[in-house]
Amino acid sequence: MTALATLPALDSVDLDAAEEFLRMFHDAHPEAGPVGARLIEVRTEIANTGTYRHTPQELAYGARVALRDSGWCTSGVPWRRLKVRDLRGLRNATAVAAECVQHLRLATNGGEIRPLVTVFAPDTPSAPGPCIWNEQLVRYAGYRDATGRIMGDPRYADFTEAVTTMGWRPPTQKGRFDHLPLVVETAHEGPQLFTIARDVIQEVPLEHPELSWFVELGLRWHAVPVISNMRLVIGGVTYPAAPFNSWFVGAEIGTRSLADEGAYAVAREVATRLGLDTRTERTLWRDRATVELNRAVLHSFDAAQVTITDHHAEALHRLAWLRSRQRAGGNRPSFRVDAATAQRARQGTPARFADTVSTEPHGGRLAALLRKRLG
């Protein structure tokens, strides 16, 4: 994609959102002093530049609250001590990709998963910040053959084709668990591809505590779920690249990724190995096979000493979260994903900045400006 010249000014940050967040921050941090002086400072900055810069303390607090309130924060995560990596100075794709790899290293931590948020440059009235196409930093390719059959993860078959068209070269010997490249897009560089070195990605081979034949299925999964395509919004400022992680819930792997017919769809093979009647759903063969898949996931992660939680513990945590979470105030810090971003993570698409939907801050004007420039 051809680099674009500096865009004309867009709408300013919503002052009400900024003020609401700052009052929230100062209420939670009396040691920061009276909010009045900070409000004057921010109002002046927005009037002069159309945006404002969070202090490191404000950024960390906003990111922690956003993760806590998002529902993605798994049980046991000490959200108040969550590590926030402040990398707002980075706008180039190569630097963003390198720090995504570093995030993965730090988060993996030898299997003792460390929850992290890494925050890159924000959107500003003069230019959008960088964005990451991938749904998670580690996802597996899906290869579609001439008959339409898919080897690997069918959920990412379209994305695999998109990055291949962009220049990615799959392994000579294609497999079911080939790592997709990272796609980082900036306004001045366009989308760029980056390969994550295999030694950075810890994976867990799956075995069953009782079924010796299970290893013959050749299943495995990566250790850390780093969600990378959600926008972090704090006090009216949007950070389009802010990858974050906690740790896996076992069912996310066993049920949603391995058993599900829209993903690896191995439930039927497990059921056949178990000698179950798969001719009708009334035998509940799918349920029984899925239970054994989930048992294998939890057993294997525990054996590899990689942090994981189960869906029963997580259900209790989610119920407590639903009872206690703040519902009022649309300007609370949050992680958000829109339809266009979700579609890009599965299918790939050219030029985020030319196709941004109006649900993103400044989306309508930004899209119109870029469409005009791109003809």
Side-chain angles (χ1 to χ4, degrees):
M1 175 180 170
T2 303
L4 301 175
T6 302
L7 293 171
L10 302 176
D11 296 337
S12 297
V13 164
D14 182 357
L15 184 58
D16 289 340
E19 293 192 358
E20 183 176 331
F21 168 69
L22 291 171
R23 294 183 189 281
M24 177 183 173
F25 172 77
H26 279 260
D27 285 346
H29 296 82
E31 72 280 4
V35 71
R38 179 63 173 143
L39 289 175
I40 293 171
E41 184 179 279
V42 167
R43 288 171 189 152
T44 301
E45 194 174 351
I46 292 175
N48 291 335
T49 68
T51 188
Y52 70 104
R53 181 176 176 83
H54 291 122
T55 66
Q57 294 77 20
E58 290 166 355
L59 180 74
Y61 175 71
R64 288 165 181 157
V65 169
L67 184 56
R68 181 197 67 186
D69 291 355
S70 69
W72 288 94
C73 189
T74 51
S75 57
V77 172
W79 73 272
R80 293 182 188 276
R81 299 193 304 274
L82 178 73
K83 174 70 173 177
V84 178
R85 303 175 70 227
D86 183 355
L87 299 177
R88 287 175 287 173
L90 301 185
R91 284 188 175 273
N92 291 336
T94 299
V96 170
E99 289 300 337
C100 284
V101 172
Q102 180 65 0
H103 179 122
L104 194 56
R105 284 196 184 97
L106 294 172
T108 303
N109 193 34
E112 189 177 348
I113 307 303
R114 181 184 298 160
L116 296 174
V117 179
T118 297
V119 184
F120 295 107
D123 286 341
T124 70
S126 60
C131 78
I132 301 165
W133 284 20
N134 308 61
E135 195 171 55
Q136 292 188 25
L137 293 186
V138 181
R139 296 278 79 174
Y140 296 115
Y143 303 110
R144 186 182 284 113
D145 65 19
T147 68
R149 296 185 62 181
I150 297 173
M151 177 177 65
D153 195 333
R155 297 173 296 181
Y156 302 101
D158 290 336
F159 190 91
T160 301
E161 291 177 358
V163 296
T164 301
T165 300
M166 293 165 62
W168 178 61
R169 295 183 179 278
T172 303
Q173 186 67 39
K174 295 177 180 177
R176 298 169 72 194
F177 297 96
D178 294 341
H179 304 143
L180 284 164
L182 191 63
V183 183
V184 180
E185 185 175 359
T186 66
H188 60 286
E189 298 167 299
Q192 305 288 316
L193 300 180
F194 300 91
T195 299
I196 301 178
R198 292 191 64 86
D199 62 356
V200 176
I201 302 172
Q202 181 173 346
E203 292 180 298
V204 178
L206 302 186
E207 60 181 21
H208 194 279
E210 298 161 5
L211 306 173
S212 59
W213 51 260
F214 195 93
V215 295
E216 298 171 11
L217 300 176
L219 302 176
R220 63 178 186 265
W221 209 255
H222 57 98
V224 190
V226 185
I227 298 169
S228 48
N229 72 331
M230 298 188 77
R231 297 173 291 119
L232 172 60
V233 182
I234 303 173
V237 178
T238 296
Y239 301 93
F244 65 92
N245 72 279
S246 54
W247 42 72
F248 272 118
V249 178
E252 293 175 2
I253 303 170
T255 301
R256 297 176 192 169
S257 296
L258 297 178
D260 193 277
E261 289 294 324
Y264 277 85
V266 298
R268 186 177 294 274
E269 184 176 0
V270 171
T272 300
R273 293 264 197 159
L274 289 169
L276 304 179
D277 182 359
T278 61
R279 292 173 298 176
T280 172
E281 297 289 346
R282 300 279 289 184
T283 64
L284 302 184
W285 63 267
R286 195 182 303 277
D287 304 69
R288 295 169 66 184
T290 300
V291 166
E292 299 307 332
L293 280 165
N294 283 316
R295 289 185 66 200
V297 169
L298 294 173
H299 166 78
S300 300
F301 270 66
D302 286 345
Q305 296 184 311
V306 174
T307 310
I308 196 168
T309 187
D310 64 82
H311 58 283
H312 292 292
E314 200 56 29
L316 294 175
H317 166 68
R318 294 295 173 93
L319 285 172
W321 170 74
L322 286 169
R323 293 189 187 103
S324 65
R325 73 187 179 101
Q326 299 273 352
R327 288 180 171 81
N331 290 326
R332 292 180 64 82
S334 61
F335 282 99
R336 304 175 187 174
V337 64
D338 57 58
T341 302
Q343 183 179 31
R344 180 175 62 248
R346 292 297 177 92
Q347 298 180 359
T349 185
R352 173 183 80 106
F353 306 111
D355 297 320
T356 304
V357 297
S358 59
T359 54
E360 292 196 26
H362 315 316
R365 290 189 61 197
L366 181 57
L369 285 165
L370 282 161
R371 288 193 185 99
K372 183 176 180 181
R373 289 185 174 219
L374 294 172

